[in-house]
Short mmCIF file of all heavy atoms in Angstrom, two decimals:
data_model
loop_
_atom_site.label_atom_id
_atom_site.label_comp_id
_atom_site.label_asym_id
_atom_site.label_seq_id
_atom_site.Cartn_x
_atom_site.Cartn_y
_atom_site.Cartn_z
N ASN A 188 87.69 80.03 7.17
CA ASN A 188 87.11 81.34 6.86
C ASN A 188 86.81 82.15 8.13
O ASN A 188 85.92 82.99 8.15
CB ASN A 188 85.84 81.20 6.01
CG ASN A 188 84.69 80.57 6.77
OD1 ASN A 188 84.87 80.05 7.86
ND2 ASN A 188 83.49 80.63 6.21
N THR A 189 87.58 81.86 9.17
CA THR A 189 87.36 82.50 10.47
C THR A 189 88.63 83.17 10.96
O THR A 189 89.72 82.57 10.91
CB THR A 189 86.89 81.46 11.51
OG1 THR A 189 85.67 80.86 11.05
CG2 THR A 189 86.64 82.10 12.86
N THR A 190 88.50 84.37 11.44
CA THR A 190 89.64 85.14 11.96
C THR A 190 89.45 85.41 13.45
O THR A 190 88.35 85.76 13.89
CB THR A 190 89.78 86.48 11.21
OG1 THR A 190 90.07 86.20 9.83
CG2 THR A 190 90.90 87.33 11.79
N PHE A 191 90.51 85.24 14.21
CA PHE A 191 90.55 85.62 15.63
C PHE A 191 91.34 86.92 15.77
O PHE A 191 92.44 87.03 15.20
CB PHE A 191 91.25 84.55 16.47
CG PHE A 191 90.43 83.34 16.79
CD1 PHE A 191 89.25 83.05 16.12
CD2 PHE A 191 90.85 82.46 17.79
CE1 PHE A 191 88.51 81.91 16.41
CE2 PHE A 191 90.12 81.31 18.09
CZ PHE A 191 88.94 81.05 17.41
N ILE A 192 90.82 87.86 16.52
CA ILE A 192 91.58 89.04 16.95
C ILE A 192 91.53 89.04 18.47
O ILE A 192 90.46 89.05 19.07
CB ILE A 192 91.00 90.34 16.39
CG1 ILE A 192 91.05 90.33 14.86
CG2 ILE A 192 91.76 91.54 16.95
CD1 ILE A 192 90.47 91.58 14.22
N ILE A 193 92.70 89.01 19.09
CA ILE A 193 92.81 88.89 20.54
C ILE A 193 93.58 90.09 21.07
O ILE A 193 94.68 90.38 20.60
CB ILE A 193 93.53 87.59 20.93
CG1 ILE A 193 92.89 86.38 20.23
CG2 ILE A 193 93.53 87.40 22.45
CD1 ILE A 193 93.77 85.14 20.21
N THR A 194 92.99 90.79 22.02
CA THR A 194 93.68 91.96 22.58
C THR A 194 93.12 92.24 23.97
O THR A 194 92.38 91.44 24.54
CB THR A 194 93.53 93.18 21.64
OG1 THR A 194 94.39 94.23 22.09
CG2 THR A 194 92.10 93.68 21.58
N THR A 195 93.47 93.39 24.52
CA THR A 195 93.05 93.72 25.88
C THR A 195 92.66 95.19 25.96
O THR A 195 92.98 95.98 25.07
CB THR A 195 94.18 93.40 26.87
OG1 THR A 195 93.72 93.62 28.21
CG2 THR A 195 95.42 94.23 26.60
N ASP A 196 91.95 95.54 27.01
CA ASP A 196 91.36 96.88 27.13
C ASP A 196 92.31 97.91 27.74
O ASP A 196 92.05 99.11 27.65
CB ASP A 196 90.07 96.82 27.94
CG ASP A 196 90.26 96.09 29.27
OD1 ASP A 196 91.00 95.10 29.32
OD2 ASP A 196 89.65 96.51 30.28
N HIS A 197 93.37 97.46 28.39
CA HIS A 197 94.34 98.37 28.99
C HIS A 197 95.58 97.57 29.37
O HIS A 197 95.58 96.34 29.33
CB HIS A 197 93.77 99.06 30.24
CG HIS A 197 93.23 98.11 31.27
ND1 HIS A 197 94.03 97.28 32.01
CD2 HIS A 197 91.96 97.84 31.66
CE1 HIS A 197 93.29 96.54 32.83
NE2 HIS A 197 92.02 96.87 32.62
N GLY A 198 96.64 98.29 29.75
CA GLY A 198 97.85 97.64 30.23
C GLY A 198 97.86 97.59 31.75
O GLY A 198 96.83 97.69 32.40
N ARG A 199 99.06 97.45 32.30
CA ARG A 199 99.22 97.41 33.76
C ARG A 199 100.46 98.21 34.14
O ARG A 199 101.29 98.55 33.29
CB ARG A 199 99.37 95.98 34.26
CG ARG A 199 98.32 95.00 33.78
CD ARG A 199 98.03 93.94 34.83
NE ARG A 199 97.16 94.49 35.84
CZ ARG A 199 95.81 94.49 35.73
NH1 ARG A 199 95.22 93.98 34.68
NH2 ARG A 199 95.08 95.03 36.68
N GLY A 200 100.61 98.48 35.43
CA GLY A 200 101.77 99.22 35.91
C GLY A 200 103.07 98.50 35.61
O GLY A 200 103.14 97.27 35.67
N LYS A 201 104.09 99.27 35.30
CA LYS A 201 105.39 98.68 34.94
C LYS A 201 106.21 98.26 36.15
O LYS A 201 107.04 97.36 36.07
CB LYS A 201 106.20 99.71 34.14
CG LYS A 201 105.78 99.88 32.70
CD LYS A 201 106.74 100.82 32.00
CE LYS A 201 106.47 100.90 30.52
NZ LYS A 201 107.44 101.79 29.83
N LYS A 202 106.01 98.92 37.28
CA LYS A 202 106.88 98.71 38.43
C LYS A 202 106.37 97.56 39.30
O LYS A 202 105.17 97.27 39.33
CB LYS A 202 106.96 99.99 39.26
CG LYS A 202 107.56 101.17 38.52
CD LYS A 202 107.60 102.40 39.41
CE LYS A 202 108.21 103.60 38.69
NZ LYS A 202 108.23 104.81 39.53
N PRO A 203 107.29 96.91 40.04
CA PRO A 203 106.86 95.86 40.96
C PRO A 203 105.85 96.35 41.99
O PRO A 203 105.05 95.56 42.50
CB PRO A 203 108.17 95.44 41.64
CG PRO A 203 109.24 95.79 40.67
CD PRO A 203 108.76 97.04 39.98
N THR A 204 105.87 97.65 42.27
CA THR A 204 104.94 98.21 43.25
C THR A 204 103.62 98.66 42.63
O THR A 204 102.72 99.10 43.34
CB THR A 204 105.59 99.41 43.95
OG1 THR A 204 106.03 100.35 42.94
CG2 THR A 204 106.77 98.98 44.79
N SER A 205 103.50 98.55 41.29
CA SER A 205 102.26 99.02 40.66
C SER A 205 101.74 98.06 39.59
O SER A 205 100.83 98.41 38.85
CB SER A 205 102.48 100.40 40.02
OG SER A 205 103.41 100.32 38.95
N TRP A 206 102.31 96.85 39.50
CA TRP A 206 101.93 95.92 38.43
C TRP A 206 100.44 95.59 38.45
O TRP A 206 99.85 95.30 37.42
CB TRP A 206 102.73 94.62 38.55
CG TRP A 206 102.29 93.75 39.69
CD1 TRP A 206 102.79 93.76 40.96
CD2 TRP A 206 101.25 92.78 39.68
NE1 TRP A 206 102.12 92.85 41.75
CE2 TRP A 206 101.17 92.23 40.99
CE3 TRP A 206 100.37 92.31 38.71
CZ2 TRP A 206 100.26 91.25 41.34
CZ3 TRP A 206 99.44 91.32 39.06
CH2 TRP A 206 99.40 90.81 40.36
N TYR A 207 99.83 95.63 39.61
CA TYR A 207 98.43 95.24 39.78
C TYR A 207 97.46 96.35 39.40
O TYR A 207 96.25 96.12 39.29
CB TYR A 207 98.18 94.85 41.24
CG TYR A 207 98.53 95.96 42.21
CD1 TYR A 207 97.61 96.96 42.52
CD2 TYR A 207 99.80 96.04 42.78
CE1 TYR A 207 97.94 97.99 43.38
CE2 TYR A 207 100.14 97.06 43.63
CZ TYR A 207 99.21 98.04 43.93
OH TYR A 207 99.54 99.08 44.76
N ALA A 208 97.97 97.57 39.17
CA ALA A 208 97.09 98.73 38.99
C ALA A 208 97.09 99.21 37.54
O ALA A 208 97.95 98.85 36.73
CB ALA A 208 97.54 99.86 39.91
N HIS A 209 96.13 100.06 37.22
CA HIS A 209 96.09 100.72 35.91
C HIS A 209 95.11 101.89 35.97
O HIS A 209 93.99 101.75 36.46
CB HIS A 209 95.65 99.74 34.80
CG HIS A 209 94.28 99.18 35.00
ND1 HIS A 209 93.14 99.79 34.51
CD2 HIS A 209 93.85 98.08 35.66
CE1 HIS A 209 92.09 99.08 34.84
NE2 HIS A 209 92.49 98.04 35.56
N ASN A 210 95.57 103.02 35.51
CA ASN A 210 94.73 104.21 35.34
C ASN A 210 95.61 105.28 34.71
O ASN A 210 96.79 105.03 34.40
CB ASN A 210 94.10 104.69 36.65
CG ASN A 210 95.12 105.00 37.73
OD1 ASN A 210 96.02 105.80 37.53
ND2 ASN A 210 94.97 104.36 38.89
N LEU A 211 95.09 106.46 34.53
CA LEU A 211 95.85 107.49 33.82
C LEU A 211 97.11 107.93 34.55
O LEU A 211 98.00 108.53 33.95
CB LEU A 211 94.94 108.69 33.54
CG LEU A 211 94.32 109.42 34.74
CD1 LEU A 211 95.18 110.58 35.21
CD2 LEU A 211 92.92 109.93 34.39
N LEU A 212 97.22 107.62 35.84
CA LEU A 212 98.38 108.03 36.62
C LEU A 212 99.43 106.93 36.78
O LEU A 212 100.51 107.17 37.31
CB LEU A 212 97.93 108.48 38.03
CG LEU A 212 96.97 109.67 38.07
CD1 LEU A 212 96.56 109.96 39.51
CD2 LEU A 212 97.60 110.91 37.44
N VAL A 213 99.14 105.71 36.29
CA VAL A 213 100.05 104.58 36.45
C VAL A 213 100.79 104.31 35.15
O VAL A 213 100.17 103.95 34.14
CB VAL A 213 99.28 103.31 36.90
CG1 VAL A 213 100.23 102.12 37.00
CG2 VAL A 213 98.60 103.56 38.25
N ASN A 214 102.09 104.50 35.15
CA ASN A 214 102.91 104.31 33.96
C ASN A 214 102.84 102.86 33.48
O ASN A 214 103.08 101.94 34.25
CB ASN A 214 104.36 104.69 34.27
CG ASN A 214 105.24 104.69 33.03
OD1 ASN A 214 104.74 104.89 31.92
ND2 ASN A 214 106.53 104.49 33.21
N GLY A 215 102.53 102.69 32.20
CA GLY A 215 102.39 101.36 31.62
C GLY A 215 100.94 100.99 31.33
O GLY A 215 100.69 100.02 30.59
N SER A 216 100.00 101.73 31.87
CA SER A 216 98.58 101.38 31.73
C SER A 216 98.08 101.47 30.30
O SER A 216 97.08 100.84 29.96
CB SER A 216 97.73 102.30 32.61
OG SER A 216 98.05 102.15 33.98
N GLY A 217 98.77 102.24 29.48
CA GLY A 217 98.34 102.39 28.09
C GLY A 217 99.04 101.46 27.12
O GLY A 217 98.81 101.54 25.91
N GLU A 218 99.89 100.56 27.63
CA GLU A 218 100.69 99.69 26.77
C GLU A 218 100.04 98.30 26.71
O GLU A 218 99.91 97.61 27.71
CB GLU A 218 102.11 99.59 27.31
CG GLU A 218 102.80 100.94 27.39
CD GLU A 218 104.21 100.87 27.94
OE1 GLU A 218 104.68 99.75 28.25
OE2 GLU A 218 104.85 101.93 28.08
N ILE A 219 99.63 97.90 25.48
CA ILE A 219 98.91 96.63 25.33
C ILE A 219 99.53 95.80 24.21
O ILE A 219 100.67 96.06 23.79
CB ILE A 219 97.42 96.88 25.05
CG1 ILE A 219 97.22 97.73 23.77
CG2 ILE A 219 96.76 97.58 26.23
CD1 ILE A 219 95.79 97.82 23.30
N TRP A 220 98.83 94.80 23.72
CA TRP A 220 99.32 93.91 22.67
C TRP A 220 98.13 93.43 21.85
O TRP A 220 96.98 93.53 22.27
CB TRP A 220 100.07 92.71 23.26
CG TRP A 220 99.26 91.97 24.28
CD1 TRP A 220 99.20 92.22 25.63
CD2 TRP A 220 98.36 90.88 24.03
NE1 TRP A 220 98.31 91.35 26.23
CE2 TRP A 220 97.78 90.52 25.27
CE3 TRP A 220 97.98 90.18 22.89
CZ2 TRP A 220 96.86 89.49 25.41
CZ3 TRP A 220 97.04 89.15 23.02
CH2 TRP A 220 96.50 88.81 24.27
N GLN A 221 98.40 92.87 20.69
CA GLN A 221 97.37 92.30 19.83
C GLN A 221 97.89 91.03 19.19
O GLN A 221 99.06 90.93 18.84
CB GLN A 221 96.96 93.27 18.72
CG GLN A 221 96.30 94.55 19.21
CD GLN A 221 96.08 95.54 18.10
OE1 GLN A 221 96.32 95.25 16.93
NE2 GLN A 221 95.64 96.74 18.45
#
Side-chain angles (χ1 to χ4, degrees):
N188 68 349
T189 301
T190 297
F191 282 15
I192 298 179
I193 308 162
T194 190
T195 185
D196 51 322
H197 54 69
R199 309 213 79 86
K201 284 185 173 182
K202 298 180 180 179
T204 54
S205 65
W206 73 269
Y207 57 86
H209 62 89
N210 58 55
L211 60 92
L212 299 177
V213 177
N214 187 26
S216 298
E218 301 179 2
I219 59 170
W220 54 271
Q221 295 172 6

